[in-house]
Amino acid sequence: MSADGREVSDHPSLVRLSMFAAGWWISVVGGLVLVGYALLQTVPALPEADAAFWVIAGLLLLFEFSPVIIGSGYDSQGVATSDAFTFAILYLYGPWPAIALISCATLVSELVKRKPPWKVPYNIGQFALSLGSAALVMELWLRASGDVTPTLAAPLAGLQPVDLTWMVVGWLTFFVVNNTLFSMLADPGRTFADDFFDDFAYYFFTTMAVLAVAPIVVFVSAQPAFMPLLLLPLYAVRKTASISREKEHQALHDSLTGLPNRKMILAELAARLDVARRQNTKVGFCLLDLDRFKEVNDTLGHQVGDRLLAVVAQRIQGALRPDDIVARLGGDEYAILLDPVQSPDSAVEVAHRVRQALTRPFHVEGMLFELEASVGVAVYPVHGEDVDPLVRRADVAMYLAKEERTGVEIYVADRDRNSASRLALLGGLRHALQNGELQVHFQPKVSLGTGDVVGVEALVRWHHPQRGLVMPDEFIPMAEHSGLMAPLTEHVIDEALAQVARWRMAGLEIPVAVNVSMRDLNGRDLLGVVAGALEKHDLPASLLVLELTERVLTRNSGDVNTTLNALRRLGVAASLDDFGTGYSSMVLLKKLPIAEIKIDRSFVSRLTADPSDVTIVRSIVELAHGLGMTAVAEGVESEQVWDLLQGLGCDAAQGWYVSRPLDADDATAWLLQHPSQQRSLRVLRGGAEGAGGPV
Ligand code: C2E
Ligand code: MG
Ligand code: MG
C-alpha cells in the first residue's frame, strides 16, 4: 500500500461509488422483479382472503400514512409502525401478499407525500428485498421442520413458542438487509460504516419494538374485534420515540428562530469536515454578527428584537442554497456552513450576498429597521483543518470586518490579533498595567496663528521588558478586544492629569488630550473615571480634552451621545481624531458635542505633493469653522506644510516639525523652552527668568 495519504484516502470513495451503484441496481431491479412476482401471485388469490386479512391490510394502510419514526442521524431513514402489520401478513399469509401489499401501500403513500419520483422505486425495492430476506428465513425454517408456507387460501394455523426463534432471526435479517441497502445508497461521501452505525441503537430498538407487535397481531387475528387494542402499543412506541426526538430537537435548535443552535452546527461542521477530508473538497464557515442590533433591543424591547432576529434568520436562509446550513449561535450572532464551496473567493461571494440581503429594510411590528452585518469567513482546509481553528478564525475575520467596517472579511493570518505572539503580548499587557510598564508621552499642539502651545496630546507607550518599546498601534486594538481597554484608559487619564497638575504647580497651564476608544464610550463608567481623576488631581475640566476617532460617529449609538453630552456638561471637550478616514455623517457631526476636528495626517503629509489634498484640507477647515469647531492638522512634518496650513486658515498643528512625542521630562523641558511659555511664565513670576526647579 502506498505511503501517500492522498491515495489511501481517495480509495474508499471509489469503492463507495461502486457500492452506491450496486445498491441502486440491486434495490431497483432486484426489488421490482420481486414485487412484480408478488403481485402476480397475490392478485388472483385475493378473493380467497379471509376477513382478518382485510382488517390487517386496512390497519397496515392506516399506519403507512402515519408519520415514520425518524432518527436524528446524518440522513435519517425511518421506522414505519405499519411494519408490524406487514410482518403479521407475512406470518399469516406468506411472503407474496406481504410484499405485494406493502409495495402498493408504499407507492400510494410516497406519491401522496410527494416524495421525489426517482426515490419511489428504490424505496419500494429496498423494502421488498428486506422483507423478502425475512421471508426466506421463515421459508427455510418451515421447510426444515416439514411445514408448508401459508398462503391467502391457507393461512397459518397457529403459532408455537418455538416459532419465536425464526421470527427473531427474521427480524434481525430484515434489519441488517434494510440498513445495508440504505447505507449503500446514502451520501457516497460518507463511508458505509458511517451510515450503517449512525443512530444504530435507536433504529435497532425501535424496529424491534415495532416488529415484536407482529406475532401479537397474529394471535389477535383469530378475534379481529380485539385488533384495535394493538393501536395502543404501536401508538406508544411512536409517541415515546417522537418525544425523545422532540427533546433532542430542542437541545439542538434555537427556540426563537427554529434554526440549529451552536451545538448542532458545530457537530454538523465536524461531520462535514470528515467528508471533505475524504473527498478533498472545501467547506466554508462564516460567522455573522448584526452591527446595531443592541440599539433595537435596548430602545424597543426584547419582543421587537426577537421578531427581528427571526426575520433576519429567514433572510439569511433565503440568500443561501438549500444545502447550506444557518444556525443561530445566540444573541445577534449567526453561523453559516457552506458545503461544499468551490474556493475561498466563492465563500466570500456568498457572504457578500447574505450581507446584501440584510441591507434591505426590515418591516417588523409596523416599524422599519435598517441593519448592517459583519461577516467573517474561514475555509477548510485553507484556514484550518478542524472545527476549533476554523470557528476561531471566522471569528477573528468577523471582528476585523466589524472594526474596519468592511462588512465581509476572510481570515488572513497576518491580521490575526490572536496569533501566538499576539496572545503572549496580550497576557503581558495585563502585567504591564500593574507593573507600571505603560508610560505616557506628550506631543505638543501649537497654534498656527500665534505659535503658542495650545495643548499636548497624551500618547501611551509600552516599555516591554523583553521587546523594548511597543507602540500603541500594536496593543490598543488588542486591549479593545480583551476588556483591558477600560483600565488602560483610566491609567492614561490618571498619568496625563498627574503631569498636567505638576505643570500647573510650576506655572504651566497646559490642557492635555487623551485618546479614548469606542469601547470606552460605549461603557458607562468613562464619565465617573474622568470626574474622579479631575477631582483627584484638583484640576478644572477645561484642562482635559478627549480625542475620539471618527469611527464613533458612524455608529449612531445612543450611548456615545449620552456620554459626550455628560462630559460636556462637566466641562470636558471632545476632539474628533483622524478626521477624513471614516465616513462621518454630517447630521451626526452637527448633533454631537464636538469642539475640535483633527485632520488626519494622511491628507496633511501629502499637502505639498497632491493639489487635491489641499482642496480636502481646505474643505475640512471650512466645515469645522462652519460648525463652530477648531481645526487641527496632525502629522505636520515640514515648514512647507506648516506654511500651507497657515494659508488655509487651519487653527493649530501637531507633528514632528513642532516636536516628536516626548516623555514627561523632555516635554517639560520643551515646554519651558517654548517662547509662548516663556512669555506667560514671565508674566506669572513677575519677570523672573526661565523656570528652574523640578516640575
Ligand atoms: P493619534 O491619536 O492619531 O496620534 C497621533 C499619532 O501620530 C501618534 O502615533 C504620533 O506619534 C504620530 N505622529 C505625530 N506627529 C507625527 C508626524 O509628524 N508624522 C508622523 N508620521 N506621525 C506623527 P502613536 O503614538 O503611535 O499613536 C498611534 C495611535 O494610537 C494614536 O493615533 C491613537 O489613536 C492611539 N493611541 C495612542 N495612545 C493612546 C491611548 O492612550 N489610548 C487610546 N485609546 N489610544 C491611543
Ligand atoms: Mg489622537
Ligand atoms: Mg490622529
Side-chain angles (χ1 to χ4, degrees):
M1 180 181 273
S2 155
D4 184 332
R6 285 177 58 95
E7 248 172 69
V8 176
S9 74
D10 279 346
H11 187 60
S13 86
L14 208 94
V15 171
R16 199 67 190 86
L17 275 174
S18 6
M19 207 181 247
F20 186 95
W24 173 264
W25 285 108
I26 294 173
S27 300
V28 173
V29 179
L32 293 190
V33 166
L34 202 63
V35 172
Y37 185 77
L39 283 169
L40 286 177
Q41 291 292 310
T42 308
V43 176
L46 275 179
E48 298 165 54
D50 57 12
F53 174 82
W54 293 111
V55 174
I56 300 173
L59 288 172
L60 184 153
L61 214 70
L62 188 77
F63 276 86
E64 186 62 27
F65 280 96
S66 74
V68 166
I69 304 170
I70 298 286
S72 67
Y74 179 77
D75 188 2
S76 310
Q77 54 175 322
V79 180
T81 30
S82 57
D83 294 357
F85 300 100
T86 313
F87 271 74
I89 290 193
L90 167 69
Y91 299 153
L92 280 165
Y93 308 101
W96 309 124
I99 292 174
L101 203 63
I102 192 61
S103 303
C104 295
T106 309
L107 179 69
V108 174
S109 90
E110 302 249 312
L111 290 181
V112 169
K113 288 176 192 161
R114 291 178 191 281
K115 292 275 178 67
W118 64 268
K119 272 193 173 172
V120 177
Y122 161 68
N123 280 347
I124 294 177
Q126 181 195 338
F127 198 84
L129 286 175
S130 315
L131 189 63
S133 58
L136 194 67
V137 171
M138 169 175 161
E139 181 72 23
L140 290 175
W141 181 280
L142 293 180
R143 287 219 179 142
S145 49
D147 287 329
V148 286
T149 316
T151 61
L152 273 175
L156 187 83
L159 286 173
Q160 307 299 318
V162 67
D163 291 328
L164 208 54
T165 335
W166 59 262
M167 282 181 176
V168 172
V169 177
W171 298 343
L172 296 177
T173 314
F174 169 81
F175 179 78
V176 171
V177 173
N178 195 38
N179 210 12
T180 303
L181 289 174
F182 173 82
S183 308
M184 282 170 89
L185 259 132
D187 189 334
R190 290 163 56 83
T191 63
F192 175 80
D194 279 349
D195 278 310
F196 193 86
F197 293 107
D198 194 9
D199 248 4
F200 186 87
Y202 174 83
Y203 280 123
F204 181 77
F205 287 111
T206 40
T207 306
M208 294 305 133
V210 168
L211 296 186
V213 177
I216 307 175
V217 178
V218 174
F219 285 118
V220 177
S221 67
Q223 292 293 336
F226 285 90
M227 205 70 95
L229 281 182
L230 292 174
L231 304 187
L232 226 55
L234 284 175
Y235 177 77
V237 172
R238 223 188 62 215
K239 191 74 192 165
T240 324
S242 76
I243 288 172
S244 86
R245 285 301 118 175
E246 181 68 24
K247 285 216 175 106
E248 205 166 318
H249 184 90
Q250 281 168 5
L252 292 175
H253 288 79
D254 165 48
S255 57
L256 188 72
T257 57
L259 293 178
N261 62 14
R262 178 186 295 271
K263 192 174 164 193
M264 180 162 172
I265 193 135
L266 294 186
E268 197 63 43
L269 178 60
R272 301 294 179 102
L273 290 184
D274 279 345
V275 177
R277 242 169 247 135
R278 281 196 290 271
Q279 295 186 326
N280 279 324
T281 52
K282 296 188 177 67
V283 177
F285 189 76
C286 310
L287 285 176
L288 181 150
D289 193 277
L290 301 176
D291 286 342
R292 292 184 319 214
F293 180 73
K294 197 175 162 296
E295 284 165 47
V296 175
N297 240 2
D298 289 353
T299 46
L300 297 169
H302 287 282
Q303 238 169 356
V304 179
D306 286 357
R307 279 287 306 137
L308 194 56
L309 286 175
V311 183
V312 166
Q314 287 166 7
R315 279 272 177 95
I316 299 175
Q317 234 160 357
L320 296 169
R321 295 171 304 188
D323 288 350
D324 301 329
I325 301 180
V326 191
R328 178 166 169 249
L329 304 183
D332 54 357
E333 213 181 350
Y334 297 82
I336 303 164
L337 180 57
L338 306 170
D339 177 35
V341 78
Q342 284 304 310
S343 64
D345 282 349
S346 58
V348 169
E349 212 170 283
V350 176
H352 275 293
R353 198 167 66 223
V354 170
R355 193 170 171 270
Q356 199 60 38
L358 297 178
T359 51
R360 273 182 289 127
F362 289 87
H363 298 267
V364 168
E365 316 236 324
M367 283 175 277
L368 200 72
F369 296 93
E370 287 191 26
L371 287 180
E372 264 177 32
S374 302
V375 192
V377 182
V379 174
Y380 166 88
V382 189
H383 304 121
E385 304 250 324
D386 275 304
V387 173
D388 278 353
L390 275 177
V391 173
R392 209 179 50 74
R393 285 169 178 183
D395 197 49
V396 167
M398 196 260 287
Y399 265 103
L400 204 67
K402 236 185 208 318
E403 208 175 270
E404 315 252 296
R405 303 192 54 79
T406 46
V408 174
E409 288 287 339
I410 190 156
Y411 179 78
V412 177
D414 289 351
R415 302 170 82 182
D416 186 353
R417 302 213 166 86
N418 298 319
S419 65
S421 68
R422 294 226 182 227
L423 279 176
L425 204 61
L426 182 63
L429 189 55
R430 275 173 231 279
H431 295 286
L433 270 166
Q434 288 144 19
N435 302 347
E437 289 168 21
L438 294 182
Q439 206 187 22
V440 177
H441 283 200
F442 300 90
Q443 189 178 34
K445 227 187 312 184
V446 173
S447 160
L448 277 157
T450 63
D452 289 352
V453 177
V454 291
V456 291
E457 176 173 5
L459 295 160
V460 70
R461 301 286 180 266
W462 179 4
H463 295 276
H464 193 279
Q466 280 90 43
R467 293 188 40 183
L469 190 67
V470 183
M471 297 303 273
D473 281 337
E474 201 169 339
F475 62 90
I476 295 283
M478 216 164 62
E480 282 185 325
H481 288 301
S482 65
L484 283 173
M485 206 52 231
L488 191 144
T489 303
E490 193 172 342
H491 176 81
V492 175
I493 291 178
D494 187 58
E495 290 266 300
L497 289 184
Q499 188 54 46
V500 169
R502 267 177 248 137
W503 284 330
R504 200 167 181 237
M505 296 270 276
L508 300 170
E509 188 104 339
I510 310 281
V512 69
V514 174
N515 292 283
V516 294
S517 81
M518 188 62 210
R519 285 284 147 106
D520 296 317
L521 286 161
N522 276 331
R524 304 198 183 269
D525 10 294
L526 184 65
L527 188 68
V529 168
V530 165
L534 286 170
E535 200 181 303
K536 175 178 165 194
H537 299 289
D538 194 22
L539 290 172
S542 59
L543 287 184
L544 179 64
V545 175
L546 295 181
E547 290 192 7
L548 35 130
T549 58
E550 198 189 356
R551 231 179 298 149
V552 300
L553 283 198
T554 39
R555 293 191 155 209
N556 177 19
S557 167
D559 279 356
V560 173
N561 206 349
T562 317
T563 312
L564 287 184
N565 272 308
L567 283 165
R568 195 190 48 181
R569 278 195 294 277
L570 195 71
V572 176
S575 165
L576 198 57
D577 209 348
D578 305 336
F579 190 84
T581 55
Y583 324 80
S584 309
S585 126
M586 294 302 150
V587 179
L588 272 166
L589 201 58
K590 211 178 92 186
K591 215 167 78 182
L592 290 175
I594 288 169
E596 176 186 270
I597 286 179
K598 296 185 80 174
I599 307 164
D600 191 69
R601 66 168 178 266
S602 56
F603 304 110
V604 176
S605 62
R606 289 193 304 247
L607 266 183
T608 47
D610 190 345
S612 66
D613 281 317
V614 177
T615 315
I616 292 174
V617 172
R618 181 186 291 119
S619 314
I620 299 178
V621 171
E622 279 168 10
L623 173 74
H625 290 167
L627 292 170
M629 304 168 182
T630 54
V632 179
E634 295 183 319
V636 179
E637 294 181 5
S638 68
E639 190 176 354
Q640 276 163 293
V641 172
W642 172 279
D643 291 343
L644 254 168
L645 286 166
Q646 262 181 338
L648 293 174
C650 188
D651 299 294
Q654 183 184 338
W656 297 346
Y657 176 66
V658 179
S659 166
R660 296 218 170 214
L662 303 166
D663 67 20
D665 288 345
D666 289 347
T668 307
W670 187 93
L671 287 169
L672 290 171
Q673 294 302 316
H674 197 266
S676 69
Q677 299 306 330
Q678 299 258 341
R679 269 199 314 276
S680 58
L681 280 171
R682 264 198 296 279
V683 173
L684 211 84
R685 294 182 180 175
E689 84 256 82
V695 250

